[in-house]
Amino acid sequence: MTSSYPQCVPVLDDGRVRLRAMTPADLPAVVEQSTDPETLRWTTVPSPYGPDDAAEFLEHIGSQWEDEGGVRIFVVELTGGDGEEEAPFAGLLDLRPGPSLQHPWEVGFATHPAVRGRGVMTAAMRLGAAWAFEQGAPSLYWYANVGNWGSRRVAWRVGMTDHGTLPQRVPGRDGAVMDAWCASLLPGQEMSPRTPWVVPPVLTDGSVRLRPWRDDDRASVQEPDHPSHHVPARALPTAQTWDAWLDRRRHAMASGSGVNWCVADAQSDVALGEVLVFVHGGTLADGDTAELGYFLYPRARGRGVAKAAAALAAEHALTPRESGGLSLRRLVAQTAADNAASNAVLSFAGFSRWGHEAAATAPDGSVGPADHWERVRP
């Protein structure tokens, strides 16, 4: 560096979000962010964390900027453009050069709780990535603990390519090593989403409410008692498989291959089961046909819940995109021929039986008769 900190830190600005050097005035906000439960959950920031820790962190940032190969840590500031409420400290973004010019850089960030959900870190990432590429970064990699959906959504918004999950990749608390999601960005790559991310809208008919699944729906899980040839075992959550089951649902929506609703009681909001629309390859936006699926917890049966949920989901799937739907032309479903309850649900939801197999392979590997259903948009 040709000058000392903070003069050596460039100011990056897009008119709404600014990246700049940290100053002593930022330290109280650093403490606020570092003691926030979400920050503690997904980072290794020390706990407890106080003003002395923040002051020491500021010294560390300065020494890194003055080191030719050091980590470049920016304060993210929301400037208040277009009448928006400003936030002098909106978070931190760090860019970590590789050990040589040929090695990729890494990026990390943490958002102050006061500005989450406003797209601030997405804008900061675009500014920081463009600057890193100007400095010669051959690529930019992002890693986050599996389950950190807020961080993953930022990586998705800036067009990073998803590379899946890497076992034992990032440090956790108390010396643990955690599995991590990984994605990357290349110079010249468009910084916008590469695939759709489906967000399930809330739908209701007054008796049931379709809404996104929440972490606290774990408390409503009831052990399944479905015949094994009716429903794939992995489609049904249990107390032991809840985390992995919910993660698969969220992965499907993050990749655009499905939309999953919790079927909840319209009055109590207690989870009663699930309804989903999905494709086996590609995304819902790629084609005109998708599959409908559903299940209910045993306590919810016999109340017309599945019929109402399937009808709501099917109507949304076949509604044109300009009217808020998925704009599909055709929905299909397959049932075991002896699954009278499921067959009644599909009939109620407007499906017609178009085919029958005498010897279809069931989810549990057994072979038996099955029916094929469809509902086509008029």
Side-chain angles (χ1 to χ4, degrees), residues 17-361:
V17 169
R18 178 180 298 137
L19 303 188
R20 59 167 176 81
M22 184 187 286
T23 72
D26 297 310
L27 299 187
V30 172
V31 174
E32 289 177 356
Q33 177 173 292
S34 300
T35 54
D36 171 70
E38 284 298 296
T39 302
L40 291 170
R41 181 182 182 187
W42 299 117
T43 73
T44 56
V45 64
S47 180
Y49 194 98
D52 290 343
D53 298 290
E56 184 178 335
F57 183 47
L58 176 56
E59 290 185 11
H60 169 73
I61 291 174
S63 67
Q64 287 292 300
W65 272 101
E66 292 173 354
D67 181 342
E68 185 175 348
V71 178
R72 306 312 187 209
I73 301 177
F74 290 93
V75 162
V76 180
E77 179 180 343
L78 182 60
T79 61
D82 298 326
E84 185 179 19
E85 183 180 357
E86 65 180 22
F89 182 95
L92 296 167
L93 183 138
D94 61 274
L95 295 157
R96 306 160 213 157
S100 73
L101 293 177
Q102 291 74 37
H103 284 79
W105 288 32
E106 293 183 18
V107 62
F109 49 84
T111 310
H112 191 281
V115 299
R116 288 182 187 144
R118 294 165 63 180
V120 174
M121 197 53 68
T122 299
M125 272 279 285
R126 290 184 178 126
L127 284 169
W131 180 82
F133 294 141
E134 289 173 1
Q135 309 313 302
S139 58
L140 190 62
Y141 274 75
W142 159 89
Y143 302 93
N145 287 31
V146 169
N148 189 348
W149 288 99
S151 183
R152 179 166 178 157
R153 193 162 178 85
V154 172
W156 166 79
R157 283 188 181 277
V158 300
M160 287 188 144
T161 301
D162 177 28
H163 299 302
T165 300
L166 302 180
Q168 303 288 288
R169 178 58 180 78
V170 294
R173 293 196 173 275
D174 302 322
V177 182
M178 312 298 292
D179 294 350
W181 289 326
C182 174
S184 69
L185 189 69
L186 298 175
Q189 188 174 316
E190 184 178 351
M191 294 190 205
S192 60
R194 298 165 64 83
T195 59
W197 185 309
V198 183
V199 178
V202 175
L203 308 173
T204 185
D205 69 350
S207 64
V208 299
R209 182 169 176 260
L210 307 190
R211 58 162 174 81
W213 284 100
R214 301 190 302 256
D215 291 344
D216 61 7
D217 288 321
R218 173 199 296 271
S220 300
V221 169
Q222 188 176 18
E223 293 301 305
D225 63 355
H226 301 69
S228 62
H229 68 289
H230 283 186
V231 186
R234 291 178 79 248
L236 304 170
T238 67
Q240 293 72 36
T241 64
W242 168 261
D243 289 336
W245 180 88
L246 184 58
D247 189 57
R248 289 196 300 273
R249 265 53 188 158
R250 289 172 172 167
H251 266 285
M253 290 187 285
S255 65
S257 65
V259 55
N260 307 78
W261 287 276
C262 168
V263 181
D265 182 89
Q267 281 68 51
S268 68
D269 201 37
V270 171
L272 304 175
E274 178 190 46
V275 63
L276 64 159
V277 175
F278 62 98
V279 293
H280 293 283
T283 73
L284 289 171
D286 292 335
D288 68 352
T289 300
E291 188 169 343
L292 178 76
Y294 45 85
F295 78 84
L296 290 183
Y297 293 133
R299 63 173 177 273
R301 295 179 193 145
R303 298 160 44 185
V305 171
K307 291 179 178 179
L312 283 169
E315 191 65 29
H316 174 74
L318 299 174
T319 295
R321 190 168 288 108
E322 56 269 23
S323 298
L326 296 178
S327 209
L328 295 171
R329 181 187 63 85
R330 179 173 178 255
L331 270 182
V332 300
Q334 180 176 331
T335 62
D338 66 349
N339 192 346
S342 189
N343 294 339
V345 166
L346 293 170
S347 292
F348 178 86
F351 283 72
S352 300
R353 195 187 326 250
W354 65 267
H356 177 82
E357 287 185 81
T361 302

